Coordinates of all heavy atoms in Angstrom, one line a residue:
K248 N 169.9 -14.6 -19.2 CA 170.2 -15.4 -18.0 C 171.7 -15.7 -17.9 O 172.2 -15.8 -16.7 CB 169.4 -16.7 -18.0 CG 167.9 -16.5 -18.0 CD 167.4 -15.6 -16.9 CE 165.9 -15.4 -16.9 NZ 165.4 -14.4 -15.9
F249 N 172.3 -15.8 -19.0 CA 173.8 -16.0 -19.0 C 174.4 -14.7 -18.4 O 175.4 -14.8 -17.6 CB 174.3 -16.2 -20.4 CG 175.7 -16.7 -20.5 CD1 176.1 -18.0 -20.2 CD2 176.7 -15.8 -20.8 CE1 177.4 -18.4 -20.3 CE2 178.0 -16.2 -20.9 CZ 178.4 -17.5 -20.6
G250 N 173.9 -13.6 -18.7 CA 174.4 -12.3 -18.1 C 174.1 -12.2 -16.7 O 174.9 -11.7 -15.9
V251 N 172.9 -12.7 -16.2 CA 172.6 -12.7 -14.8 C 173.6 -13.5 -14.0 O 174.1 -13.0 -13.0 CB 171.2 -13.3 -14.6 CG1 170.9 -13.5 -13.1 CG2 170.1 -12.3 -15.1
I252 N 173.9 -14.7 -14.5 CA 174.9 -15.5 -13.8 C 176.3 -14.8 -13.7 O 176.9 -14.8 -12.7 CB 175.0 -16.9 -14.5 CG1 173.7 -17.7 -14.3 CG2 176.2 -17.7 -13.9 CD1 173.6 -18.9 -15.1
N253 N 176.7 -14.3 -14.8 CA 178.0 -13.7 -14.9 C 178.1 -12.4 -14.1 O 179.2 -12.1 -13.5 CB 178.4 -13.4 -16.3 CG 178.8 -14.7 -17.1 OD1 179.2 -15.7 -16.4 ND2 178.8 -14.7 -18.4
F254 N 177.0 -11.6 -14.0 CA 177.0 -10.4 -13.2 C 177.2 -10.8 -11.7 O 178.0 -10.2 -11.0 CB 175.7 -9.6 -13.4 CG 175.6 -8.4 -12.5 CD1 176.2 -7.2 -12.8 CD2 174.9 -8.5 -11.3 CE1 176.1 -6.1 -11.9 CE2 174.8 -7.4 -10.5 CZ 175.4 -6.2 -10.8
S255 N 176.4 -11.8 -11.3 CA 176.5 -12.2 -9.9 C 177.8 -12.7 -9.6 O 178.4 -12.4 -8.5 CB 175.4 -13.3 -9.6 OG 175.3 -13.6 -8.3
A256 N 178.4 -13.5 -10.5 CA 179.8 -14.1 -10.2 C 180.8 -13.0 -10.1 O 181.7 -13.0 -9.3 CB 180.1 -15.0 -11.3
S257 N 180.7 -11.9 -11.0 CA 181.6 -10.8 -10.9 C 181.5 -10.0 -9.6 O 182.4 -9.6 -9.1 CB 181.4 -9.9 -12.1 OG 181.6 -10.6 -13.3
F258 N 180.2 -9.9 -9.2 CA 180.0 -9.2 -7.9 C 180.7 -9.9 -6.7 O 181.3 -9.3 -5.9 CB 178.5 -9.0 -7.7 CG 178.1 -7.9 -6.7 CD1 177.8 -6.6 -7.1 CD2 178.2 -8.1 -5.3 CE1 177.5 -5.6 -6.2 CE2 177.8 -7.1 -4.4 CZ 177.5 -5.9 -4.9
M259 N 180.5 -11.3 -6.7 CA 181.1 -12.1 -5.7 C 182.6 -12.1 -5.7 O 183.3 -12.4 -4.7 CB 180.6 -13.5 -5.7 CG 179.1 -13.6 -5.6 SD 178.4 -12.7 -4.3 CE 176.8 -12.2 -5.0
A260 N 183.2 -11.7 -6.9 CA 184.6 -11.7 -7.0 C 185.3 -10.7 -6.0 O 186.4 -10.8 -5.6 CB 185.0 -11.3 -8.4
Y261 N 184.5 -9.6 -5.7 CA 185.0 -8.7 -4.7 C 185.2 -9.3 -3.3 O 186.2 -9.1 -2.6 CB 184.0 -7.5 -4.5 CG 183.9 -6.6 -5.7 CD1 182.7 -6.5 -6.4 CD2 185.0 -5.9 -6.2 CE1 182.6 -5.7 -7.5 CE2 184.9 -5.1 -7.3 CZ 183.7 -5.0 -8.0 OH 183.6 -4.2 -9.1
F262 N 184.3 -10.2 -2.9 CA 184.4 -10.9 -1.7 C 185.5 -11.9 -1.7 O 186.3 -12.0 -0.7 CB 183.0 -11.6 -1.3 CG 181.9 -10.6 -1.2 CD1 180.7 -10.8 -1.9 CD2 182.0 -9.6 -0.3 CE1 179.7 -9.9 -1.7 CE2 180.9 -8.7 -0.1 CZ 179.8 -8.9 -0.9
T263 N 185.6 -12.7 -2.8 CA 186.7 -13.6 -2.9 C 188.1 -12.9 -2.9 O 189.1 -13.5 -2.4 CB 186.6 -14.5 -4.1 OG1 186.6 -13.7 -5.3 CG2 185.3 -15.3 -4.0
L264 N 188.1 -11.8 -3.5 CA 189.4 -11.0 -3.5 C 189.7 -10.6 -2.1 O 190.9 -10.6 -1.7 CB 189.2 -9.7 -4.4 CG 190.4 -8.8 -4.5 CD1 191.5 -9.5 -5.2 CD2 190.0 -7.5 -5.2
L265 N 188.7 -10.2 -1.3 CA 189.0 -9.8 0.1 C 189.4 -10.9 0.9 O 190.4 -10.9 1.7 CB 187.7 -9.1 0.7 CG 187.8 -8.6 2.2 CD1 189.0 -7.6 2.3 CD2 186.5 -8.0 2.6
I266 N 188.8 -12.1 0.8 CA 189.1 -13.3 1.5 C 190.5 -13.8 1.2 O 191.3 -14.2 2.0 CB 188.1 -14.4 1.3 CG1 186.7 -14.0 1.9 CG2 188.5 -15.7 2.0 CD1 185.6 -14.9 1.5
G267 N 190.8 -13.7 -0.1 CA 192.2 -14.1 -0.6 C 193.3 -13.2 -0.1 O 194.4 -13.7 0.3
F268 N 193.0 -11.9 -0.1 CA 193.9 -10.9 0.4 C 195.3 -10.9 -0.1 O 196.2 -10.6 0.6 CB 193.9 -10.9 2.0 CG 194.1 -9.5 2.6 CD1 193.0 -8.7 2.7 CD2 195.4 -9.1 3.0 CE1 193.2 -7.4 3.3 CE2 195.6 -7.8 3.5 CZ 194.5 -7.0 3.7
G269 N 195.5 -11.5 -1.3 CA 196.8 -11.6 -1.8 C 197.7 -12.6 -1.2 O 198.9 -12.6 -1.5
F270 N 197.1 -13.5 -0.4 CA 198.0 -14.5 0.3 C 198.7 -15.4 -0.8 O 199.7 -16.0 -0.5 CB 197.2 -15.3 1.3 CG 196.8 -14.5 2.5 CD1 195.5 -14.5 2.9 CD2 197.7 -13.8 3.2 CE1 195.1 -13.7 4.0 CE2 197.4 -13.1 4.3 CZ 196.1 -13.0 4.7
D271 N 198.0 -15.6 -1.9 CA 198.7 -16.4 -3.0 C 200.1 -15.9 -3.3 O 200.9 -16.7 -3.8 CB 197.8 -16.5 -4.2 CG 196.6 -17.4 -4.1 OD1 196.6 -18.1 -3.1 OD2 195.7 -17.4 -5.0
L272 N 200.2 -14.6 -3.1 CA 201.5 -14.0 -3.4 C 202.4 -13.8 -2.1 O 203.5 -14.2 -2.0 CB 201.3 -12.6 -4.1 CG 200.7 -12.7 -5.4 CD1 200.4 -11.3 -5.9 CD2 201.5 -13.4 -6.5
S273 N 201.8 -13.2 -1.1 CA 202.5 -12.9 0.1 C 202.9 -14.1 0.9 O 204.1 -14.3 1.4 CB 201.8 -11.9 1.0 OG 200.5 -12.4 1.4
A274 N 201.9 -15.0 1.1 CA 202.2 -16.2 1.9 C 203.1 -17.2 1.2 O 204.0 -17.8 1.7 CB 200.9 -16.9 2.3
T275 N 202.9 -17.3 -0.1 CA 203.8 -18.1 -1.0 C 205.2 -17.6 -0.9 O 206.2 -18.4 -0.7 CB 203.3 -18.0 -2.4 OG1 202.0 -18.6 -2.5 CG2 204.2 -18.9 -3.3
R276 N 205.4 -16.3 -0.9 CA 206.7 -15.7 -0.8 C 207.4 -16.0 0.5 O 208.6 -16.4 0.5 CB 206.6 -14.2 -1.0 CG 208.0 -13.5 -1.1 CD 207.7 -12.0 -1.6 NE 207.0 -11.3 -0.6 CZ 206.5 -10.0 -0.9 NH1 206.8 -9.5 -2.0 NH2 205.8 -9.4 0.0
K277 N 206.7 -16.0 1.6 CA 207.2 -16.3 2.9 C 207.7 -17.7 3.1 O 208.8 -18.0 3.6 CB 206.2 -16.0 4.0 CG 205.9 -14.5 4.2 CD 204.8 -14.3 5.2 CE 204.4 -12.8 5.4 NZ 203.3 -12.7 6.4
I278 N 206.9 -18.6 2.6 CA 207.3 -20.1 2.7 C 208.3 -20.5 1.7 O 209.2 -21.3 2.0 CB 206.0 -20.9 2.7 CG1 205.1 -20.7 3.9 CG2 206.4 -22.4 2.6 CD1 203.9 -21.5 4.0
A279 N 208.2 -20.0 0.5 CA 209.1 -20.4 -0.6 C 210.5 -20.0 -0.3 O 211.4 -20.7 -0.8 CB 208.6 -19.8 -1.9
A280 N 210.7 -19.0 0.5 CA 212.0 -18.6 0.8 C 212.7 -19.6 1.7 O 214.0 -19.7 1.7 CB 212.0 -17.2 1.5
A281 N 212.0 -20.4 2.5 CA 212.6 -21.4 3.4 C 211.6 -22.5 3.5 O 211.0 -22.7 4.6 CB 212.9 -20.8 4.7
P282 N 211.4 -23.3 2.5 CA 210.4 -24.4 2.5 C 210.6 -25.5 3.6 O 209.7 -26.2 4.0 CB 210.4 -25.0 1.1 CG 211.8 -24.6 0.6 CD 212.1 -23.3 1.2
S283 N 211.8 -25.6 4.0 CA 212.2 -26.7 5.0 C 211.9 -26.2 6.5 O 212.0 -27.0 7.4 CB 213.6 -27.1 4.9 OG 214.5 -26.0 5.1
D284 N 211.6 -25.0 6.6 CA 211.4 -24.4 8.0 C 209.9 -24.7 8.4 O 209.0 -24.0 8.1 CB 211.6 -22.9 8.0 CG 211.6 -22.3 9.4 OD1 211.1 -23.0 10.3 OD2 212.2 -21.2 9.6
S285 N 209.8 -25.8 9.2 CA 208.4 -26.2 9.6 C 207.8 -25.2 10.6 O 206.6 -25.0 10.5 CB 208.5 -27.6 10.3 OG 209.3 -27.5 11.5
E286 N 208.5 -24.6 11.4 CA 208.0 -23.6 12.3 C 207.4 -22.4 11.6 O 206.3 -21.9 11.9 CB 209.0 -23.1 13.4 CG 209.4 -24.2 14.4 CD 208.2 -24.6 15.2 OE1 207.4 -23.7 15.6 OE2 208.0 -25.8 15.4
N287 N 208.1 -21.9 10.6 CA 207.7 -20.8 9.8 C 206.4 -21.3 9.0 O 205.5 -20.5 8.9 CB 208.8 -20.4 8.8 CG 208.3 -19.3 7.8 OD1 208.0 -18.2 8.2 ND2 208.3 -19.6 6.5
R288 N 206.4 -22.5 8.5 CA 205.3 -23.0 7.7 C 204.0 -23.0 8.6 O 202.9 -22.6 8.2 CB 205.6 -24.4 7.2 CG 204.5 -24.9 6.2 CD 205.0 -26.1 5.4 NE 205.4 -27.2 6.3 CZ 206.6 -27.7 6.4 NH1 207.6 -27.0 5.9 NH2 206.9 -28.7 7.2
N289 N 204.1 -23.5 9.8 CA 203.0 -23.6 10.8 C 202.5 -22.2 11.1 O 201.3 -21.9 11.2 CB 203.4 -24.3 12.1 CG 203.6 -25.8 11.8 OD1 203.0 -26.4 11.0 ND2 204.5 -26.4 12.6

């Protein structure tokens, strides 16, 4: 049953990967370059 839970969680990782779409890197990079720019942040 431990394997059942982990298999299902691993399968769902594809969906979370798609939803995340690398924004943790790309969006972070965009805002970190100019954190005081409120228009860019919005």
Side-chain angles (χ1 to χ4, degrees):
K248 299 306 180 184
F249 191 80
V251 168
I252 292 172
N253 285 339
F254 174 82
S255 185
S257 298
F258 200 95
M259 301 312 147
Y261 293 118
F262 298 125
T263 59
L264 180 64
L265 180 58
I266 295 170
F268 210 83
F270 289 128
D271 282 351
L272 298 173
S273 60
T275 299
R276 186 169 64 187
K277 289 178 181 178
I278 292 182
S283 60
D284 188 342
S285 59
E286 288 301 315
N287 177 62
R288 189 165 62 249
N289 290 331

